[in-house]
Amino acid sequence: MDLKTATAIRRLRLVSAPEAISFLLLLVCSVLKRTTDFNAVPVMGAVHGGLFVLYVIFWADAWNRAKWSLKTAALYFVLSMLPAGGFVAERRLRREAEDAVIATRARKEGVVGA
């Protein structure tokens, strides 16, 4: 994995957890809006919207650079639409990056012929 691909995946990983947190907070704010006088939906909606747009931009860049299959790219996109999906995406992306580092080191040391 080259540096630009690793950077694209890292950016996506770093924005996935905050995007998931903002989604959960937006859901909480929506419930509070309907049950109390507290209305933070406009603020949380804007925060979540901005993070979601960043996620989609970083997702498209990572898909392009990492040459993911359509199935893998669709999985990461669907995870962004689930309330806690960003946490799952972050964990999978971290594992993917760690596996790529291990594979690169193994190739350098001549352990594998991949």
Side-chain angles (χ1 to χ4, degrees):
M1 179 181 301
D2 66 340
L3 184 61
K4 288 185 178 184
T5 304
T7 302
I9 290 174
R10 184 165 191 259
R11 275 192 308 242
L12 180 61
R13 186 175 66 87
L14 290 176
V15 78
S16 63
E19 191 270 337
I21 291 169
S22 71
F23 193 3
L24 293 172
L25 287 174
L26 180 60
L27 292 175
V28 169
C29 288
S30 295
V31 170
L32 289 175
K33 176 183 176 183
R34 283 155 179 69
T35 58
T36 66
D37 291 334
F38 184 74
N39 184 11
V41 172
V43 173
M44 278 313 303
V47 169
H48 174 66
L51 287 170
F52 182 74
V53 168
L54 279 176
Y55 185 94
V56 170
I57 290 169
F58 294 158
W59 166 80
D61 186 39
W63 181 14
N64 181 41
R65 292 187 187 279
K67 307 294 186 224
W68 288 332
S69 66
L70 182 60
K71 181 181 173 183
T72 302
L75 171 70
Y76 286 123
F77 189 76
V78 168
L79 285 174
S80 73
M81 295 190 191
L82 300 174
F87 300 119
V88 176
E90 192 276 333
R91 192 173 323 132
R92 289 179 60 103
L93 288 164
R94 182 173 18 117
R95 192 175 318 130
E96 183 178 328
E98 289 169 354
D99 290 347
V101 167
I102 291 168
T104 301
R105 287 181 182 161
R107 270 189 236 109
K108 281 184 179 178
E109 294 174 4
V111 176
V112 294

